[in-house]
Amino acid sequence: MTLAPPPAARAGDSLASVATPSLMIDLDAFDANLAAMSAFAARHGVALRPHAKAHKCSEIAKRQVGAGAVGVCCQKLSEAYPFAAAGIASIHVSNEFVGADKLAMAVELASHVHLSVCVDALPQVQALGDAAARAGVTIDVLPEVDAGQHRCGVTSEDALLALVDGIAAQSALRFAGLQAYHGGIQHVADWIARKAEASRAADIAARYVRALDVRGVRCGIVTGGGTGTVEFDAASGVFTELQPGSYLFMDGDYGGIGWGGEMRWRHSLFVLSTVMSATRPGMAVCDVGLKGLAVDSGLPRSVNWLGAGAKATFSYISANDEHGMLQAQHDAEGDFADLVGKRVLLLPGHCDPTVNLYDEYVCYRGERVTDIWPIDARGLSR
Amino acid sequence: MTLAPPPAARAGDSLASVATPSLMIDLDAFDANLAAMSAFAARHGVALRPHAKAHKCSEIAKRQVGAGAVGVCCQKLSEAYPFAAAGIASIHVSNEFVGADKLAMAVELASHVHLSVCVDALPQVQALGDAAARAGVTIDVLPEVDAGQHRCGVTSEDALLALVDGIAAQSALRFAGLQAYHGGIQHVADWIARKAEASRAADIAARYVRALDVRGVRCGIVTGGGTGTVEFDAASGVFTELQPGSYLFMDGDYGGIGWGGEMRWRHSLFVLSTVMSATRPGMAVCDVGLKGLAVDSGLPRSVNWLGAGAKATFSYISANDEHGMLQAQHDAEGDFADLVGKRVLLLPGHCDPTVNLYDEYVCYRGERVTDIWPIDARGLSR
């Protein structure tokens, strides 16, 4: 017996008939964001290596590479597999990893794609070098330096030099440059403050580059940057490669921060939901909660009715596992029973973990579904 | 080219070789919880219909039914499919739904299993009755009454009577009783306060039951209750059927509330994670963050080292998308570089949305993997 839920949508469907909840991409906005970042990187003469952890979708990665990206970043080795399988030729794993299972994935990936990885400890270098040599593959290695986030990365020039020497001692590894990423400053709301923080991070990276330079070690690549800081990173003269991910989607949290002149992003990612109950004054209950919306960066920022919808403006005020509570902002005594069955587009607070809850994007232009893109790296967190 | 990540683990593996992050079930604790709830329900003469939204796994549902459950609850129609496919014969969808896609799923499910559903609006009754009649299936219907949560459910006896009359007018629908569930009180920490709240919810349910009774309408089933209130619901004399889900796992949030004498649950659900970086004093970074841990009910409550581990006690203090920050509670100046590669079992704050992030449970007894159970309803939120 094959008993499985029907597909959420097919190309050509109206948005009014898409099964909910569904994760939606407004392709007009998406295309604009895709083109704008490619043009931005080209204008500033920096390589663009978008972060695939944001979208986890090989269809999107192919479009990024088609628009000029040199490859993609992944945050995990398992995450890289669907991109390698889809023909993305250059993948940077922008993170440390440890253990036999991880080494096995690294050498398998390196036999299919140009692979680079991050390290911040000497035993990792040795284990990776041994595994790569045994497998007969070569892996590019970029030590990570702590650019101020105090998460991963070396914290001294001596530790960096030890890694560089360790890499040089491994015939199957190649020193390719440095990674310097400060995730903590990406969402600083004040543009001036964010610029200052990005400048500090770039200065740290520059100090490490110089420390290697005086020892005759040249960093071919200095990679880092996120959507919130690319405009500063590109102008810093330090970074040769940028790793933004969220620019494609522009989630609720990023949408709320200040942006400079070159950065004009459109919201392209939404969750489509249906009102399935409305028995109380001023309230409606929609069919998406914690299992379809990551709330670590807050609840959905806007509730936009599809079609006629409600006259009142609603806010998404709380999420249960499978329910979302919508509250009328003014007409608190209104009877909204006739809203049952109506649909809303919700702007999620944080794109990356929201994307990781869905198996496909339902892509649309105007009121029509045009494509279904599998989120083929969904759940690949190892 | 088949290029896919290797499996996380195989039966017989040591926990030290399971790929991380992985979602783990301690089967000794799990079995104890499974047996305890079955015995509790039998002792109190109430039917047990555990909520499958918590575990989303047909292997677990089969064990629950094997231990005496009358079937399972699902929160969504799509979620019910893997349980129906696995042979669970009785499924209650404990939620309202609306729209042609949902009706199509309801009648398909009803042709394979004994299906009951909730309603709280008359148009839903009519649409469901029409769809069921067209498909030639019969569906049991349980109007939901608002037991104090102010989410879904009717809020007056008149509204309930209108639904009952509406159901009676549909030849393909059968009135089966009421659902009264108050999710908001499940996690009330104080046992006495929680008991009082549960009593209020049961009183509301009883009032609706009596209102129907005086009109000659008998509620065969009054279903509701969750892990936090079953001990009160079972004793209330109102509920004939209980819907707990989290008791199997006992997550961090539930573990922190007060429990009465009959309720003795063990933590059985953990996330296994590896330290992949430790370059700063007093800190270690593990390989699981927002994409492997739901944080809506807080960060992981405990960090237990697998094997020798660290001498210091650590707390999980913040989650990025793919990173977890572990901070030493006392030895803040210690150098923890030798922790890289060591493993921790983390107690997640909230089981349901954490489970929804994984594709399988890695089940273990002692230090050995014994089973891999697919989370076959993962992501089925429609």
Side-chain angles (χ1 to χ4, degrees):
Chain A
M1 178 174 66
T2 58
L3 188 58
R10 292 184 178 83
D13 284 354
S14 140
L15 293 197
S17 70
V18 173
T20 65
S22 279
L23 188 64
M24 312 295 294
I25 295 180
D26 176 340
L27 281 181
D28 291 338
F30 174 93
D31 287 348
N33 293 341
L34 181 74
M37 188 62 89
S38 292
F40 171 82
R43 206 155 57 235
H44 287 272
V46 291
L48 180 62
R49 183 182 288 279
H51 217 306
K53 82 185 191 69
H55 56 67
K56 284 182 169 281
C57 169
S58 59
E59 281 295 328
I60 293 179
K62 288 192 272 187
R63 280 161 177 77
Q64 290 175 316
V65 170
V70 297
V72 298
C73 294
C74 290
Q75 197 73 320
K76 297 294 189 101
L77 289 153
S78 68
E79 188 177 65
Y81 274 77
F83 300 99
I88 302 299
S90 175
I91 299 177
H92 173 54
V93 176
S94 58
N95 203 1
E96 288 74 21
F97 52 85
V98 60
D101 56 310
K102 301 296 191 292
L103 292 169
M105 287 197 277
V107 299
E108 184 174 30
L109 286 164
S111 73
H112 289 90
V113 301
H114 176 266
L115 183 73
S116 59
V117 304
C118 285
V119 297
D120 68 6
L122 205 50
Q124 292 167 334
V125 173
Q126 289 156 347
L128 185 67
D130 291 347
R134 271 197 306 276
V137 297
T138 303
I139 298 177
D140 278 2
V141 182
L142 293 91
E144 182 170 20
V145 299
D146 181 352
Q149 184 166 15
H150 305 336
R151 187 172 71 179
C152 302
V154 297
T155 60
S156 73
E157 292 176 13
D158 285 349
L160 175 59
L161 290 170
L163 291 179
V164 171
D165 288 345
I167 294 164
Q170 296 286 341
S171 61
L173 304 182
R174 198 162 45 196
F175 173 77
L178 297 182
Q179 172 166 300
Y181 175 69
H182 191 333
I185 62 177
Q186 299 299 322
H187 293 256
V188 170
D190 182 72
W191 188 85
I192 301 286
R194 195 162 81 252
K195 182 178 184 178
E197 299 262 23
S199 171
R200 258 193 294 277
D203 287 348
I204 294 172
R207 182 165 56 80
Y208 283 111
V209 171
R210 278 196 305 274
L212 294 181
D213 205 48
V214 297
R215 285 165 178 85
V217 179
R218 200 178 153 270
C219 293
I221 297 170
V222 180
T223 188
T227 294
T229 61
V230 282
E231 57 182 320
F232 317 120
D233 301 327
S236 69
V238 179
F239 291 95
T240 69
E241 184 179 278
L242 302 177
Q243 302 184 359
S246 302
Y247 70 98
L248 283 176
F249 296 142
M250 198 38 39
D251 58 31
D253 205 54
Y254 261 129
I257 71 172
W259 293 97
E262 279 193 277
M263 300 281 114
R264 304 213 176 272
W265 309 113
R266 293 170 60 183
H267 295 300
S268 73
L269 186 80
F270 301 94
V271 170
L272 183 66
S273 178
T274 302
V275 173
M276 29 70 80
S277 176
T279 63
R280 303 191 66 82
M283 298 293 302
V285 183
C286 72
D287 65 357
V288 67
L290 299 173
K291 292 182 186 170
L293 285 165
V295 299
D296 58 278
S297 300
L299 295 169
R301 297 303 197 281
S302 65
V303 176
N304 292 306
W305 294 94
L306 201 69
K311 283 183 209 133
T313 301
F314 279 74
S315 299
Y316 189 111
I317 61 160
S318 73
N320 299 153
D321 283 351
E322 289 91 359
H323 298 83
M325 302 299 287
L326 305 179
Q327 186 176 50
Q329 285 181 2
H330 300 295
D331 190 9
E333 295 305 310
D335 175 3
F336 296 116
D338 63 345
L339 289 183
V340 173
K342 294 197 187 295
R343 286 150 174 256
V344 288
L345 283 166
L346 305 169
L347 175 63
H350 190 182
C351 54
D352 298 43
T354 296
V355 165
N356 193 45
L357 297 169
Y358 290 87
D359 289 301
E360 76 271 306
Y361 296 104
V362 178
C363 306
Y364 67 101
R365 292 189 195 275
E367 295 291 312
R368 288 282 154 196
V369 174
T370 61
D371 293 284
I372 310 290
W373 292 343
I375 303 177
D376 37 7
R378 196 274 324 146
L380 297 179
S381 295
R382 292 181 182 123
Chain B
M1 177 174 67
T2 57
L3 188 58
R10 291 184 179 84
D13 284 355
S14 141
L15 293 196
S17 71
V18 173
T20 64
S22 278
L23 188 63
M24 313 295 295
I25 295 181
D26 176 339
L27 280 181
D28 291 338
F30 174 93
D31 286 348
N33 294 341
L34 181 74
M37 188 61 90
S38 293
F40 171 82
R43 204 156 58 235
H44 287 272
V46 292
L48 180 63
R49 184 182 286 278
H51 218 305
K53 82 185 191 70
H55 56 67
K56 284 182 169 280
C57 170
S58 58
E59 281 295 327
I60 293 179
K62 286 191 272 186
R63 281 162 177 76
Q64 290 174 316
V65 170
V70 298
V72 298
C73 294
C74 290
Q75 197 73 319
K76 296 295 188 100
L77 289 153
S78 68
E79 189 177 65
Y81 275 76
F83 300 101
I88 303 298
S90 176
I91 299 177
H92 172 56
V93 175
S94 57
N95 203 1
E96 289 73 21
F97 52 85
V98 60
D101 55 311
K102 301 295 191 292
L103 293 169
M105 287 196 278
V107 299
E108 183 175 29
L109 286 164
S111 73
H112 289 91
V113 301
H114 177 265
L115 184 73
S116 59
V117 305
C118 285
V119 297
D120 68 6
L122 205 50
Q124 292 166 336
V125 173
Q126 290 155 345
L128 185 68
D130 291 348
R134 270 198 306 277
V137 296
T138 304
I139 298 177
D140 278 2
V141 181
L142 292 91
E144 182 170 21
V145 299
D146 181 353
Q149 183 166 18
H150 306 334
R151 189 173 69 180
C152 302
V154 298
T155 59
S156 72
E157 291 176 13
D158 286 349
L160 175 60
L161 290 169
L163 290 178
V164 171
D165 288 345
I167 295 164
Q170 296 286 341
S171 61
L173 304 183
R174 197 163 45 198
F175 172 79
L178 299 182
Q179 172 166 300
Y181 175 70
H182 192 333
I185 62 176
Q186 298 300 322
H187 293 257
V188 170
D190 182 72
W191 188 84
I192 301 286
R194 194 162 81 252
K195 183 177 185 177
E197 299 263 22
S199 172
R200 259 192 294 278
D203 287 347
I204 293 171
R207 181 165 56 81
Y208 284 111
V209 171
R210 277 196 307 272
L212 294 181
D213 206 47
V214 299
R215 286 165 177 85
V217 179
R218 197 176 155 272
C219 292
I221 296 169
V222 181
T223 188
T227 294
T229 61
V230 281
E231 58 183 317
F232 317 121
D233 301 328
S236 70
V238 180
F239 292 95
T240 69
E241 184 179 280
L242 304 177
Q243 302 183 359
S246 303
Y247 70 98
L248 283 176
F249 296 142
M250 199 37 41
D251 58 29
D253 206 52
Y254 261 130
I257 72 173
W259 293 97
E262 278 193 280
M263 300 282 114
R264 303 210 176 276
W265 310 112
R266 293 169 60 182
H267 296 300
S268 73
L269 187 79
F270 301 94
V271 171
L272 182 66
S273 177
T274 302
V275 173
M276 29 69 82
S277 176
T279 63
R280 302 190 65 83
M283 299 292 302
V285 184
C286 72
D287 65 357
V288 67
L290 298 172
K291 292 182 185 170
L293 286 165
V295 299
D296 59 278
S297 299
L299 295 169
R301 297 302 197 281
S302 64
V303 175
N304 292 308
W305 294 93
L306 201 69
K311 284 184 207 131
T313 301
F314 278 74
S315 298
Y316 188 112
I317 61 161
S318 74
N320 299 153
D321 284 351
E322 290 89 359
H323 298 82
M325 303 297 288
L326 306 180
Q327 185 176 51
Q329 285 182 1
H330 299 297
D331 189 11
E333 294 305 308
D335 175 3
F336 295 117
D338 63 345
L339 290 182
V340 173
K342 293 195 187 297
R343 287 150 173 258
V344 287
L345 283 166
L346 305 169
L347 175 65
H350 190 181
C351 55
D352 298 43
T354 296
V355 165
N356 194 45
L357 298 170
Y358 289 87
D359 288 300
E360 76 271 307
Y361 296 104
V362 177
C363 305
Y364 67 101
R365 292 191 196 273
E367 295 291 314
R368 287 283 153 196
V369 174
T370 60
D371 292 284
I372 309 291
W373 291 343
I375 303 176
D376 37 6
R378 196 273 324 147
L380 297 179
S381 294
R382 292 182 180 121

